[in-house]
Amino acid sequence: MNRVILTFHSTHDAIATERVLAEHAIVFQVLPTPVEISADCGIALMVGVPEGKRCLSLLSDYHMSIGFTAAQEAGYNLEILGSFVDC
Amino acid sequence: MNTIIDATGKACPIPFMLAKKQIDAGQSSFTVLVDNRAAVENLKRLAASQDYDTTVDEDNSNFHVHFQGKKEVVKPEGMLEASAPARRVVYISRDTMGFGAEELGKNLLRMFLYTLSQDTELPESIVMLNSGISLATKDQQTIKTLQVLSDRGVEILVCGTCLDYYGLLDKLAVGSVCTMYDIEQRLLRADTVISP
């Protein structure tokens, strides 16, 4: 299943984003930031692709540094498909 | 002759304790009579953990749980302990990982479980108690992760006393209700207990 992983420069940005997503009833999964994506903040959030697009517009008002990465949950493994947006 | 123990009308841990007494006495075949499904499930778990097979006969609202000890398996010499996988138990007694900021601790625990669910090596059991039971009742993220672990064969045990105390018995979304006897047994028989 295709997914979008949101990564952050700071833990506080990650937690602030969790609150925004919860307020907008966007379902997400907290996971450790996969090392192949980023060595920044250790907390990443994973959402579905449509939700990822929604996050992009929602979070643009918050002036946070957020990375968006495409991934695939294949069986019990997370396969990173590559970063497609970095804002 | 098959020993029959009548544990109908007995409160929660009593049927379990009566059966355990028979096992400890080396009784290889006996039957426990109980009157509720929760007791049947507890007895089945006890049997599995003690190398007994069970069959259950239902008669009106009574259940006859037959215990039959498995025959000793003769192992070839030199293949004894070395090949047995380590028994790892993950013991979660609160809803955060570490002490300090609560929102951070909750996320750390979610991250731990998510990583565990993707690992090639898995624990035998995950035991949750006290505020740790919220992982199997309230937190949609950890419920999903625990379900993956359960699907992969990890035994998920949630403290029944704690579910009752927090009024969450009907909210259990993953795993099975267990008693302190189950918890004590898992911890005692584990080679490694991991307490995140």
Side-chain angles (χ1 to χ4, degrees):
Chain A
M1 194 191 294
N2 284 337
R3 299 285 186 188
V4 173
I5 298 175
L6 313 184
T7 53
F8 307 88
H9 276 322
S10 92
T11 308
H12 295 283
D13 283 352
I15 290 173
T17 300
E18 268 188 71
R19 292 200 196 103
V20 175
L21 300 195
E23 273 168 26
H24 290 83
I26 295 177
V27 176
F28 59 92
Q29 168 76 51
V30 177
L31 75 163
T33 306
V35 286
E36 53 270 57
I37 303 180
S38 162
D40 278 352
C41 157
I43 300 179
L45 306 179
M46 185 161 65
V47 294
V49 174
E51 290 81 1
K53 286 177 185 158
R54 231 181 119 200
C55 291
L56 194 58
S57 61
L58 265 177
L59 297 168
S60 58
D61 298 338
Y62 288 85
H63 308 292
M64 287 187 284
S65 177
I66 303 172
F68 289 77
T69 299
Q72 188 180 32
E73 257 190 333
Y76 303 121
N77 286 301
L78 194 65
E79 195 184 322
I80 305 302
L81 304 173
S83 295
F84 65 94
V85 184
D86 204 351
C87 58
Chain B
M1 200 187 122
N2 193 6
T3 309
I4 298 175
I5 300 143
D6 185 359
T8 51
K10 298 278 198 295
C12 165
I14 307 292
F16 182 99
M17 287 169 70
L18 292 171
K20 184 72 169 56
K21 211 170 155 186
Q22 294 295 318
I23 293 169
D24 290 344
Q27 187 72 255
S28 65
S29 172
F30 60 94
T31 300
V32 185
L33 191 56
V34 291
D35 56 12
N36 65 85
R37 275 197 193 279
V40 174
E41 291 309 312
N42 276 336
L43 290 172
K44 281 162 87 173
R45 266 206 307 279
L46 170 69
S49 73
Q50 303 285 327
D51 266 353
Y52 276 71
D53 284 324
T54 47
T55 48
V56 182
D57 292 327
E58 195 173 342
D59 153 31
N60 294 324
S61 55
N62 285 339
F63 302 90
H64 300 255
V65 184
H66 308 290
F67 280 68
Q68 182 64 54
K70 290 180 187 165
K71 292 231 161 46
E72 274 298 305
V73 178
V74 181
K75 295 177 190 168
E77 264 184 60
M79 280 186 63
L80 290 173
E81 301 306 322
S83 60
R87 285 173 192 258
R88 296 192 188 94
V89 173
V90 175
Y91 171 75
I92 300 175
S93 60
R94 55 178 195 267
D95 59 357
T96 66
M97 191 170 180
F99 295 99
E102 196 181 324
E103 59 186 359
L104 176 64
K106 283 187 174 171
N107 275 338
L108 295 176
L109 198 46
R110 286 176 185 138
M111 286 153 64
F112 172 78
L113 286 175
Y114 182 82
T115 314
L116 188 65
S117 75
Q118 297 222 321
D119 207 326
T120 48
E121 286 183 54
L122 295 173
E124 196 172 84
S125 313
I126 298 177
V127 175
M128 281 164 276
L129 52 82
N130 214 322
S131 62
I133 66 165
S134 69
L135 303 185
T137 53
K138 289 178 173 174
D139 188 323
Q140 293 309 316
Q141 292 183 52
T142 50
I143 286 169
K144 201 174 150 202
T145 312
L146 288 167
Q147 190 58 58
V148 171
L149 286 158
S150 173
D151 293 345
R152 294 188 67 193
V154 179
E155 179 187 44
I156 311 288
L157 295 176
V158 186
C159 164
T161 308
C162 312
L163 287 166
D164 180 45
Y165 178 87
Y166 288 107
L168 292 170
L169 266 168
D170 59 340
K171 297 282 187 297
L172 185 65
V174 59
S176 51
V177 179
C178 73
T179 66
M180 189 50 80
Y181 296 95
D182 298 315
I183 297 172
E184 185 261 356
Q185 280 295 306
R186 296 306 180 283
L187 296 180
L188 203 69
R189 293 160 134 253
D191 296 312
T192 310
V193 175
I194 300 153
S195 186

